[in-house]
Structures are given as structure tokens and as C-alpha cells.
Amino acid sequence: MYSLIIHLYAFFIELISPFHKKARLMRLGQWKTNGILREKIDQNAKYIWFHASSLGEFEQGRPLIEKIKAEHPEYKILLTFFSPSGYEVRKNYGGADVVCYLPFDTPYRVKKFLDLSKPVMAIFIKYEFWDNYLSELKRRNIPVYIVSAIFRKEQLFFKWYGGMYRKVLSYFTHIFVQDDASRELLSKYGVTNVSVFGDTRFDRVQDVYKNTKQVPMVELFVNNNRSDNQLTMVAGSSWQQDEEVYLNYFNEHPELKLIIAPHEIHKDHLMHIESMLKRPSIRLSEATEKDIKGKSCLIVDSFGLLSSIYRYGDLAYIGGGFGAGIHNVLEAAVYGIPVIFGPKYQKFKEARDLLQVGGAFSITDEKTFESKMEELSTYRDLLEAAGAAAGDFVKSNIGATNRIIASIPL
């Protein structure tokens, strides 16, 4: 039944691919996978296979990839993605020796992929539970691990009808989870090959923090005509629902400077943002030393800079909390600034923990955002304390990468 569903899904992707960009990229990318493996896999080398569903999971696994690459040159790295949003951004990632799409999880494709790649070990990141891949790895006696995993009772594994799906957990050589709640939940269902080693994303954001790029035009924007009561807010990965919450406040508060790095930077979205602004703004791609003077809002219309731009903020607004769920809060918190986000954060442990230590604030609408901003701008000691709590929270959770590598026989 599972394989039939995967076959139907593969057929559906093929059916819509002429009309859907992501489906087209996935279909074409998977079609190329076997050719990439035949061309690039060194038959005399030992490969550790990392699989990340998308870009977020890749960033989570990146510290492991880079540490193994640096400390164990006897291994090469095979990196696969399922989603185009991961592969198309990182297909030229230098930390891996081979990068390709993961074929659909059907028996024939699985055996072909493993015959060509011949990994000596597999490491899946966070949420990857492919039945045929995992069972075939176990059949071939190839150790397979999942790292930075997190489990909730609402997941299919723990439903009354989830017994067959729960079987995939038995295929893992070891499961590295983020928290005690996950270990205890798994234990109730007889899964005991589990260790609580935390989340490797903390190590990743710490690495980014240590190697932060300077963005001179952003620095010039923040410091130009700076006043004693100025606050700079970085709105990262924001969607239209987020912008409707914070832009009215920004328009009415001249002491606030705003840097917007929207999740989508297509023309229509950028124009919509600009149409809502009542104070002078400029796009980063158009900014010059002369033109940026007197501007109150800087719109970042390119990707890849956000994690470095957070350093210029006094606080951050993290987008997605009025949609499917918030984006990465740790990228901002590592700089020791408080973060604000919308109401849909419950699935994100790091967000819940940040709230608990006082390094983050959740708002539900424009009114609660205004109230929180008034509080933080009036009581700067509260702002500083919240920022310190956020920074300390990240520092106290660093180290999962070293603990995992120490526990994997390399």
C-alpha cells in the first residue's frame, strides 16, 4: 500500500510538471540522479550519505557534514535533497563530493540508487522516514541514523492506526532526538535506541555568527542620522500577513528604522510592500551612499544576506507565524536580540523555549504587536534583558554536533 501511494505521487508530479515549476524541477532532477551517480561516485571511496528534505534540514545537518569532512578525510560525502528549494540552492555546495535529488521511495528506484551510490553509512536529518530506503539500508546492513529528530504525540507513528508506519523507526541504528519528551514518547512504544543530544541548528547559527559578513550598505543605513532613541527592527522572512501587522506601526513611529527581508522577493510582493509604506524607503539593490540618506526603511531584495543582517538589529520580527509556521528564530537570537513572532509557533521547540526564558515574544495581531513594541521601546532595560536571554539561550544549547559524532562509529 505504501509503495502504491508513492507510485501514485510520482505519477502526479509527472502529470503536473508541465504546469508547475517545482514539480518540473523535481522530475527533471530525479531523472538526472542516476547519471550523476554514475559519473561522480568514486568506486574506491567510502561515502557517508546525508539526506535533507529541504534547505532548512540541510542547514541543520551542515555542521555534521563539515565536521566529518574536516576530521575524517577518509570519507566522502553524498548529499541528497527531496525538495527543489533545497537542491536548487545548494547543488554546488562545496562541502559535499556529490549532490543530487533523492529518487522517489519505490523499491526499484531505491535499489538502483543504493547500487550506484554504495554508502557505508546514512544520516537522515530531522523528519525523513522513507520506508523502502530505510528497510533496504537495514537489509544491506548499512548503519542509518536520524539526527536532531523531534517527536510529538500528534504524529502518525503514535496514532492507534500507526503501527505499520511506526515500524520504520525500528530500521534506524540509532535515533538522536532534541529533547527528553521525544525520548519518553518513543520509549512508550518500545523504541529505546534513542539519545537526547539536542539540535545541531544551534551549532550552525553559532558558526554563522562567528563568520558573520559585514554588509556595509546596511550598516550605513542603520547609522545614518542615528538618534538616541532609535530602534532598528529586522523583519526576516516576512509574508504579507506579517507585513500587515508591523507596517502600520512603523509608519507612525519615526524613532523606528526597519529592515525588511521578505520571504518572497518577486516583483509583485516588493511593490505591495512599497505601496504600504508611508515613510521613505529604498531597495538594497538600488541603494547608494547618497540615496540611502534620509531613508527609514531598507528592503532587502536578494537572498543569502539575512543571517548576517540580523546583527544590525536591536530586535527582530520573524515571519511565518500567521501562515504555516514561523521561520528560523535562532538566526536572530544568536546576536543577542529579542525576537517577535506570530501565533503559529507551537511546532517549533526552539521558539517555545525562547518564550520560556524571556528571549522571545509572541503576538496575535496588530494590536498586540503595537503593545509589545511600546513596552520594549519605553523600557530599554527590558529590551536588553530579553536580548541577553536570547543570546544566552543559544550559547547554552551548542554542542549537539560533537556529541553525535562522538557516538557514531567512524
Side-chain angles (χ1 to χ4, degrees):
M1 178 63 71
Y2 171 84
S3 295
L4 175 61
I5 292 171
I6 298 296
H7 275 294
L8 290 173
Y9 180 64
F11 177 71
F12 174 73
I13 292 297
E14 183 172 355
L15 199 64
I16 68 170
S17 61
F19 319 102
H20 192 283
K21 183 180 178 181
K22 284 190 175 182
R24 186 163 60 252
L25 287 170
M26 181 185 291
R27 179 173 176 267
L28 180 61
Q30 290 195 19
W31 181 77
K32 292 180 178 179
T33 291
N34 289 347
I36 291 173
L37 295 176
R38 290 190 186 97
E39 177 187 350
K40 295 188 175 182
I41 289 289
D42 180 353
Q43 296 299 320
N44 298 313
K46 296 186 294 183
Y47 283 86
I48 296 178
W49 167 31
F50 280 86
H51 176 63
S53 175
S54 191
L55 188 59
E57 288 76 18
F58 162 75
E59 290 296 333
Q60 199 161 15
R62 186 169 177 169
L64 285 165
I65 294 172
E66 295 181 354
K67 193 169 184 65
I68 290 174
K69 189 75 172 175
E71 297 182 358
H72 295 275
E74 67 272 25
Y75 294 104
K76 290 192 173 184
I77 302 295
L78 166 63
L79 172 63
T80 61
F81 291 95
F82 187 74
S83 168
S85 62
Y87 176 80
E88 298 302 328
V89 175
R90 294 301 181 193
K91 58 187 175 184
N92 298 314
Y93 170 58
D97 298 281
V98 183
V99 185
C100 60
Y101 276 93
L102 183 70
F104 287 115
D105 188 28
T106 60
Y108 173 79
R109 291 183 176 97
V110 167
K111 291 175 182 177
K112 190 69 175 178
F113 175 84
L114 293 177
D115 287 344
L116 290 170
S117 60
K118 296 183 173 65
V120 297
M121 181 185 300
I123 298 176
F124 287 17
I125 302 166
K126 195 176 182 179
Y127 283 139
E128 292 300 275
F129 304 101
W130 296 110
D131 192 313
N132 289 317
Y133 277 106
L134 291 170
S135 61
E136 185 65 17
L137 285 165
K138 187 173 180 64
R139 191 185 71 79
R140 297 186 185 207
N141 294 315
I142 298 171
V144 56
Y145 304 90
I146 188 163
V147 301
S148 295
I150 193 161
F151 293 90
R152 301 182 304 275
K153 61 182 181 180
E154 296 82 11
Q155 289 171 305
L156 180 59
F157 306 109
F158 312 114
K159 301 291 187 182
W160 64 267
Y161 51 83
M164 291 186 66
Y165 191 59
R166 193 161 57 245
K167 185 180 178 182
V168 303
L169 299 177
S170 68
Y171 299 142
F172 287 106
T173 306
H174 203 82
I175 298 172
F176 297 101
V177 298
Q178 294 185 27
D179 58 11
D180 287 317
S182 294
R183 179 175 59 184
E184 291 167 6
L185 182 60
L186 290 168
S187 180
K188 288 181 181 178
Y189 292 87
V191 182
T192 58
N193 54 330
V194 181
S195 296
V196 182
F197 278 0
D199 188 348
T200 53
R201 276 180 302 177
F202 289 93
D203 301 320
R204 175 58 188 156
V205 296
Q206 182 68 10
D207 288 343
V208 172
Y209 172 77
K210 289 179 179 178
N211 299 285
T212 301
K213 304 172 187 174
Q214 287 189 318
V215 190
M217 196 57 66
V218 176
E219 188 170 354
L220 181 63
F221 165 77
V222 171
N223 292 327
N224 183 54
N225 296 327
R226 191 181 187 106
S227 61
D228 291 339
N229 67 335
Q230 176 182 308
L231 277 181
T232 300
M233 186 176 83
V234 180
S237 301
S238 69
W239 295 78
Q240 183 174 330
Q241 300 100 310
D242 301 298
E243 290 138 15
E244 289 171 354
V245 166
Y246 65 72
L247 280 181
N248 283 336
Y249 180 88
F250 166 74
N251 285 332
E252 297 172 3
H253 289 79
E255 77 282 0
L256 181 65
K257 280 193 172 183
L258 177 62
I259 301 171
I260 306 176
H263 184 72
E264 295 180 334
I265 58 171
H266 57 74
K267 180 181 176 181
D268 289 345
H269 190 198
L270 295 177
M271 290 179 66
H272 179 74
I273 291 172
E274 290 166 335
S275 72
M276 296 179 70
L277 289 166
K278 296 178 182 178
R279 296 172 60 195
S281 68
I282 192 168
R283 298 186 188 185
L284 182 59
S285 64
E286 300 171 353
T288 65
E289 187 174 342
K290 178 182 177 181
D291 293 338
I292 208 166
K293 291 180 179 178
K295 298 299 189 292
S296 303
C297 178
L298 180 66
I299 303 170
V300 182
D301 53 347
S302 58
F303 291 122
L305 294 175
L306 178 58
S307 59
S308 294
I309 288 176
Y310 280 125
R311 67 179 292 189
Y312 299 107
D314 298 300
L315 71 163
Y317 179 98
I318 309 300
F322 290 92
I326 58 173
H327 293 280
N328 193 337
V329 298
L330 300 179
E331 283 186 334
V334 71
Y335 291 101
I337 61 174
V339 296
I340 299 173
F341 43 77
K344 295 185 180 178
Y345 64 84
Q346 288 80 7
K347 291 182 179 180
F348 303 89
K349 179 182 183 299
E350 67 279 8
R352 300 195 309 270
D353 290 347
L354 262 178
L355 286 168
Q356 188 172 0
V357 301
F361 307 97
S362 176
I363 51 96
T364 56
D365 51 28
E366 187 177 341
K367 185 176 180 180
T368 53
F369 174 77
E370 179 180 357
S371 175
K372 182 54 62 178
M373 287 297 293
E374 290 294 332
E375 182 181 21
L376 293 174
S377 60
T378 302
Y379 303 103
R380 295 300 175 95
D381 54 342
L382 174 61
L383 179 75
E384 292 176 7
D392 290 343
F393 169 73
V394 175
K395 291 174 186 175
S396 67
N397 283 280
I398 292 167
T401 299
N402 290 337
R403 290 189 289 270
I404 291 169
I405 288 179
S407 299
I408 293 176
L410 292 169

